[in-house]
Amino acid sequence: MLLPEEVRRSLPPELPVVALRDFVVFPFMVTPLDVGRPKSVRAVDAVAADLRMFLTVMQKDKDIQDPKPPDDLYTIGTLVTIVRMLRASDGRIQLLLRGLARVRIDEWTQTDPYLKARYTIIDETTEMTVEVRALMGSVLQLFQQMVQLSPHLPDEASAVAATAETPAQLADIVVNALNLSAQERQRFLETLEPVQRLRDLLPLLSREVQVLELTQKIQERARQELDKAQREFILRQQLREIQKELGETPEAEVEELRQKN
């Protein structure tokens, strides 16, 4: 993603860093984040009044309470901006963030009272060749099929993906919507070539569509069997009532009497 020049000029060479547990923020995405660890709260407080931008990186082990750089943290993260901020009574901060760009951590410059690092913004420009446009079309088509079949994805997801103008944007929108593990999301964040991300998405989307189509067929078959059983039950009940009205003994009752005798 190319940041506007005025945004680049406003960025200092070092920024506070918030370590994330089992969570990855992608560029182009707006996402909520609940910040509670003291170092993370102090990192947000350091920029909340003016710049309103910081870095997010995922920690390698989600169970570590106080991750130490560099061993406990990944080096590829995301530059984010604060869209909305709400401080809870217990000191936690509820944030709504917008991802701006991938970043590479070049040097950890501070660990207390909060994490801070030098970084490089990763530009993701791609020449829009015929092949790239065809690849984007294939990914978009599969993703829209997935949204149509999935009971968990809103229809708006298709419209959002359709607005993507670059491979980087489309790939990140689709990855963010997929049900992937945090490690798989980090792998996509670390795949710095946008076209490669699209290529990696094709088999994932194809498999997801196949699973959803098969699930839909199984559910439809089960529904049809249930409908058939319900219809047969209703018809049997109606037949019994008709036989009783006519003074006839239903066949099942006749068989029961025979067995008793």
Side-chain angles (χ1 to χ4, degrees), residues 92-143:
R92 301 179 71 85
I93 300 176
Q94 295 175 338
L95 297 172
L96 187 65
L97 302 175
R98 177 181 287 111
L100 297 179
R102 278 173 174 76
V103 296
R104 178 184 288 105
I105 302 297
D106 298 323
E107 179 187 3
W108 293 96
T109 58
Q110 178 179 299
T111 56
D112 288 301
Y114 55 85
L115 297 175
K116 199 172 185 180
R118 290 184 178 273
Y119 61 96
T120 298
I121 293 174
I122 299 170
D123 289 328
E124 301 181 87
T125 56
T126 304
E127 183 182 357
M128 295 298 288
T129 64
V130 173
E131 181 185 357
V132 170
R133 292 184 186 277
L135 182 58
M136 288 180 66
S138 297
V139 169
L140 179 60
Q141 183 181 24
L142 279 170
F143 180 65

Side-chain angles (χ1 to χ4, degrees), residues 7-136:
V7 175
R8 284 178 180 270
R9 285 197 300 266
S10 71
L11 290 171
E14 301 176 15
L15 277 174
V17 179
V18 171
L20 305 179
R21 300 178 194 255
D22 245 15
F23 187 67
V24 176
V25 178
F26 283 94
F28 311 106
M29 297 294 98
V30 175
T31 184
L33 181 67
D34 191 17
V35 178
R37 289 186 284 188
K39 278 189 178 181
S40 298
V41 170
R42 288 193 287 267
V44 173
D45 283 339
V47 297
D50 43 34
L51 185 62
R52 296 179 71 83
M53 294 184 194
F54 59 90
L55 309 178
T56 62
V57 294
M58 190 171 79
Q59 59 190 67
K60 296 176 182 178
D61 183 347
K62 65 181 176 64
D63 295 324
I64 294 178
Q65 176 61 29
D66 186 18
K68 306 291 186 184
D71 294 341
D72 295 337
L73 298 163
Y74 289 101
T75 57
I76 300 297
T78 307
L79 170 67
V80 300
T81 184
I82 300 172
V83 177
R84 191 170 65 239
M85 176 174 168
L86 179 65
R87 195 180 300 275
S89 58
D90 62 357
R92 301 179 71 85
I93 300 176
Q94 295 175 338
L95 297 172
L96 187 65
L97 302 175
R98 177 181 287 111
L100 297 179
R102 278 173 174 76
V103 296
R104 178 184 288 105
I105 302 297
D106 298 323
E107 179 187 3
W108 293 96
T109 58
Q110 178 179 299
T111 56
D112 288 301
Y114 55 85
L115 297 175
K116 199 172 185 180
R118 290 184 178 273
Y119 61 96
T120 298
I121 293 174
I122 299 170
D123 289 328
E124 301 181 87
T125 56
T126 304
E127 183 182 357
M128 295 298 288
T129 64
V130 173
E131 181 185 357
V132 170
R133 292 184 186 277
L135 182 58
M136 288 180 66

